[in-house]
Amino acid sequence: MTVSGSRRRPLVLRLSLTAAIAVTVAGSSVAFASPAVSAPMPVRTAAAPAFTAGLCEGTEYTPSEQMLDISGIRLDHYNDGNIVPMYGTTDRGTSAAVDAPVCGVRDVDGIAKSEWMYCTDFDLDPCAGVDENGLPVDKHNDEMGATVPSSGNPDLSADDLAVISWLLQNPAKLDGVVSGNGSEDARSARQTLVWCVSDYDNPLMADFKSLCDRNIGDDERARIVEIMNVTQTLDLVRKTPATGTLKAGETAVFTLNTNMYRKPITVQSSAGTELTVCGDNATATLTANQLTVDGRGDAPTAVDLCLTAAAGGDYSVTASVIPDSVENLHWNTAGAQCQIFASFDTVRPASMNASASVGYAAAPTTTPATSTPATTTPATTTPATTTPATPVVPIVPIVPIVPIVPVVPVVPVVPGAPVPSQPVATPAPSAPKPATGPRPVAIDGGAAEQNSGRNVAVAVTGLGLVGMAAAGAVALRRKRS
């Protein structure tokens, strides 16, 4: 890039920027933090009072109070709608000479917005220092005027503007270090890549041309210009099923079509779902909620996204991205001897959005088969009513009692002769015959009574037992009824 001699900076300041490039090469990789999206820039309504500005993203040291104090002439610059430079990316610079990029603050919709500004002139003064009183000064501690908006850098071509715009909106790599705003190393990588575009032909960059060629050579720059010149698209449709609902646990497939290549696209799904890249999508990577698609040219690439839900309901997938545009850059400078800064405009760009949804049927409320536990009614084994065997009472045979009538001898009567009344002689009892069978039981006494008394008792006892047994049988029948 050709610049006039009046805009050249002293060697000491050039060396400080050269040191910044050297730091980049030895830096560590840091993930890119995508910029936040704000509403379009509004018209100011009231002047802000003095305040202490917030830090820019990823600041790794504590700037001085003077750097963050927005009051006096700096507050006037702020209230005029200008950006106020505050401090450099590292604490190595003095108050007057700071390391690029520079953190500046400006009013956005009544809110003080701090954002990093990247140099696009390798050998010019950043003009971003402050003195002990907090006044803006250049490297000589000469008081500076406001850093005002600019239409761009007149020394850059349209392709240069396109590539720098893309670099400030997307992560890129410098020998393995991922560029971005999130750390000193990431910012140093991004600043060096910007210089590789804005100052590639500057003699002061001669020692670093090989670094630029490795990381952002002609082919890569052509690819980026191609991306910036296409009509950018973002479309999301439901693929499977095209209509209808799914059952809980089944997978729905959505197709995202885009030609915004190597640019993080924020992809999210409803709570309670899992979203993954599926199918033949070797060029797409989903990390957390950031989808990156590799490719080039105007033709969009289709990426399948699979969603699963474990419960019924309506679920959606959304995709959003800020399209790359040269208009997304905010340019500013403090004068002819000063750096022209480019910063990503976190205000004006409107994001592109796409969404699609799918319904999942609620799982049927299957009333659990109330398997009434088989009432294992213990087999009513009616206890074998072992009717107690009615004790057999020995039946004592009752022997009929035959009364023994004494034999009286009959005396023949003589006819005609009176019969003399003679006393009846009681014959002497004859000796009993030995019993030939069971002993008779007498009712009214005699030898038979004496001999059979024991048997009578047995008979009576037997009858009693028979009666008891009979009573028992009745009781058992009652119990069963």
Side-chain angles (χ1 to χ4, degrees), residues 302-376:
V303 178
D304 283 346
L305 301 171
C306 286
L307 176 141
T308 54
D314 292 326
Y315 300 95
S316 63
V317 176
T318 61
S320 63
V321 63
I322 298 175
D324 294 314
S325 170
V326 174
E327 287 72 32
N328 290 353
L329 291 190
H330 179 257
W331 297 85
N332 54 77
T333 183
Q337 80 275 23
C338 300
Q339 186 69 229
I340 296 180
F341 292 104
S343 59
F344 176 70
D345 192 334
T346 58
V347 183
R348 282 177 287 182
S351 64
M352 296 177 68
N353 302 287
S355 65
S357 61
V358 64
Y360 277 79
T365 50
T366 44
T367 312
T370 43
S371 44
T372 314
T375 14
T376 33

Side-chain angles (χ1 to χ4, degrees), residues 404-416:
I404 302 172
V405 180
V407 179
V408 178
V410 178
V411 178
V413 178
V414 176

Side-chain angles (χ1 to χ4, degrees), residues 114-139:
S114 298
E115 58 192 14
W116 290 105
M117 307 184 298
Y118 287 84
C119 294
T120 59
D121 295 293
F122 180 68
D123 57 350
L124 294 183
D125 188 348
C127 300
V130 293
D131 64 13
E132 64 276 4
N133 298 314
L135 297 175
V137 294
D138 64 10
K139 63 182 182 299

Side-chain angles (χ1 to χ4, degrees), residues 255-328:
T255 299
L256 178 75
N257 292 283
T258 187
N259 59 3
M260 282 184 270
Y261 298 120
R262 298 192 190 179
K263 181 173 186 65
I265 301 170
T266 301
V267 178
Q268 295 177 307
S269 60
S270 302
T273 63
E274 181 181 353
L275 189 67
T276 59
V277 171
C278 55
D280 185 16
N281 292 289
T283 61
T285 304
L286 180 61
T287 303
N289 64 346
Q290 297 295 303
L291 176 71
T292 305
V293 183
D294 196 10
R296 64 185 303 172
D298 193 63
T301 295
V303 178
D304 283 346
L305 301 171
C306 286
L307 176 141
T308 54
D314 292 326
Y315 300 95
S316 63
V317 176
T318 61
S320 63
V321 63
I322 298 175
D324 294 314
S325 170
V326 174
E327 287 72 32
N328 290 353

